[in-house]
């Protein structure tokens, strides 16, 4: 099952992608007893999942709606660094002995077709294609062998990174958290459709040029180890997004460096999930206005 957040008729809500991929089953009408916001929906657990899976009408065609990030305001948005050996090598680092996590601010999220905003104060905006785990159950100190049980599904994250701000601080949070720089989506795909999350192909193109091409089998720390590590320290909650790291091919590692600029088009695909396709736009008054209008819809 693919779970989406979408806007239609000035009403943002959640739905299930139709089996024939013709549109989205509107759960506000098909199952009005369910929450219409993704975190609240996931918090309802298996019963809500079963009700959504059984719903089959009405279907709103994709051309009549706007896909949003599936989790508009996650309780936590976390990313792991240096989790592919080839990316570690291109960055000139040693293979990490331990998992290296950082926080991303939720307002860095943008939708699967929305613009990525190039900030006025930097020209070092980079892309990072990543498989993202969406947590489906409140959990603490989960053993790795049981970690699959707390996963609601998987999505795609472009871990947008403003490199000069990322590296000027001992932590990377600032450069990972600029508003409207990290597309997430297009939907959450449940584990039954994914199968093994450690054997998925992922690719990135910038203006049609293939930049990243790898498989999740190359992860240094796998999804279950990541959940075990994080939940050992603190409670994970429904709707938390865990970005699992990017492979080689980022712009900062190219010679010369190839950072994103206004007018670029970034396309990311992960096998069995789907695609993000986002234009890059320069920050300006009209973009700021658009962004705060977006914030208002999710408050």
């Amino acid at each position: 099952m693919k779970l989406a957040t979408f806007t239609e008729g000035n009403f943002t809500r959640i739905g299930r992608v139709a089996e024939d991929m013709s549109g989205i089953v509107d759960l506000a009408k098909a199952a009005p007893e369910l929450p219409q916001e993704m975190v609240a929906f996931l918090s309802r657990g298996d019963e809500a999942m079963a009700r959504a899976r059984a719903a089959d009408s009405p279907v709103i065609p994709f051309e009549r709606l706007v896909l949003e990030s599936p989790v508009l305001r996650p309780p936590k948005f976390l990313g792991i660094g240096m989790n592919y050996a080839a990316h570690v090598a291109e960055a000139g680092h040693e293979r990490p002995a331990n998992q290296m996590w950082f926080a991303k601010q939720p307002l860095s999220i943008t939708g699967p077709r929305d613009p990525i905003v190039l900030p006025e104060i930097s020209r070092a905006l980079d892309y990072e294609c990543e498989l993202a785990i969406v947590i489906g159950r409140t959990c603490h100190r989960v053993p790795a062998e049981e970690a699959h049980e707390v996963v609601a599904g998987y999505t795609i994250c472009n871990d947008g990174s403003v490199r000069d701000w990322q590296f000027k601080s001992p932590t990377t949070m600032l450069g990972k958290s600029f508003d409207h720089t990290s597309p997430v989506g297009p939907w959450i795909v449940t584990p039954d459709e994914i199968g093994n999350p450690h054997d998925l192909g992922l690719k990135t193109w910038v203006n049609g040029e293939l930049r990243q091409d790898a498989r999740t089998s190359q992860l240094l720390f796998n999804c279950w180890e990541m959940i075990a590590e994080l939940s050992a320290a603190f409670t994970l909650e429904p709707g938390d997004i865990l970005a699992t790291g990017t492979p080689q091919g980022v712009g900062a590692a190219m010679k010369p460096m190839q950072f994103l600029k206004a007018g670029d088009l970034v396309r990311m695909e992960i096998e069995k999930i789907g695609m993000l396709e986002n234009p890059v736009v320069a920050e300006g008054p009209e973009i700021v206005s658009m962004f705060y209008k977006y914030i208002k819809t999710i408050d």
Side-chain angles (χ1 to χ4, degrees):
M1 179 168 61
K2 297 177 177 67
L3 295 166
T5 296
F6 68 99
T7 299
E8 185 266 344
N10 295 317
F11 176 23
T12 299
R13 59 221 194 252
I14 65 170
R16 178 180 69 80
V17 178
E19 298 295 336
D20 61 3
M21 299 296 291
S22 61
I24 293 183
V25 178
D26 185 358
L27 293 179
K29 294 182 179 178
E33 73 277 11
L34 293 177
Q36 289 305 303
E37 185 274 331
M38 190 64 75
V39 173
F41 170 84
L42 295 176
S43 298
R44 294 274 291 270
D46 292 342
E47 181 181 352
M49 285 283 195
R51 183 68 183 91
R53 196 181 298 273
D56 58 8
S57 64
V59 176
I60 303 174
F62 283 115
E63 57 267 24
R64 283 179 42 198
L65 58 84
V66 175
L67 281 173
E68 311 287 0
S69 170
V71 186
L72 292 173
R73 193 74 71 90
K76 291 182 282 296
F77 187 16
L78 305 172
I80 188 172
M82 299 295 148
N83 203 26
Y84 284 80
H87 179 51
V88 173
E90 73 175 358
H93 295 296
E94 297 292 328
R95 178 170 172 155
N98 301 296
Q99 297 180 34
M100 301 167 54
W101 285 95
F102 54 86
K104 291 175 67 71
Q105 296 305 308
L107 289 180
S108 66
I109 291 175
T110 190
R113 304 290 182 270
D114 289 343
I116 299 168
V117 177
L118 177 65
E120 287 185 336
I121 59 176
S122 176
R123 288 298 177 265
L125 176 63
D126 210 348
Y127 54 85
E128 295 190 7
C129 182
E130 308 197 10
L131 174 70
I133 302 165
V134 181
I135 297 297
R137 199 177 82 202
T138 300
C139 58
H140 185 53
R141 297 190 177 156
V142 182
E145 60 270 19
E146 298 176 13
H148 66 281
E149 298 176 5
V150 306
V151 175
Y154 304 88
T155 190
I156 306 171
C157 173
N158 178 353
D159 178 19
S161 304
V162 180
R163 298 297 189 192
D164 49 351
W165 282 72
Q166 177 183 348
F167 297 127
K168 76 176 188 175
S169 169
T171 71
T172 63
M173 184 185 70
L174 286 176
K176 295 287 190 175
S177 296
F178 274 65
D179 291 348
H180 233 49
T181 54
S182 293
V184 176
W187 34 63
I188 298 167
V189 183
T190 52
D192 57 298
E193 290 197 13
I194 294 294
N196 180 10
H198 304 115
D199 190 27
L200 302 174
L202 62 166
K203 296 182 179 181
T204 299
W205 293 263
V206 178
N207 301 327
E209 176 189 1
L210 183 63
R211 298 277 186 90
Q212 295 184 289
D213 186 359
R215 299 194 70 79
T216 56
S217 56
Q218 299 165 324
L219 287 166
L220 298 178
F221 300 100
N222 69 36
C223 296
W224 317 142
E225 292 167 333
M226 289 184 248
I227 291 171
E229 178 86 351
L230 290 172
S231 70
F234 49 78
T235 299
L236 296 176
E237 304 166 279
D240 285 350
I241 297 175
L242 314 180
T244 63
T246 200
Q248 72 279 10
V250 299
M254 299 178 72
K255 300 185 187 309
M257 294 180 181
Q258 298 290 321
F259 293 124
L260 297 173
K261 59 186 183 302
D264 284 348
L265 182 67
V266 183
R267 177 185 174 111
M268 295 182 172
E269 292 185 2
I270 296 185
E271 187 179 359
K272 297 185 181 181
I273 298 179
M275 174 189 71
L276 304 176
E277 190 168 77
N278 304 91
V280 179
V281 299
E283 183 179 6
E286 70 284 356
I287 298 300
V288 172
S289 175
M290 175 195 73
F291 177 66
Y292 284 106
K293 179 180 178 182
Y294 172 81
I295 293 175
K296 186 176 179 180
T297 69
I298 62 178
D299 278 342

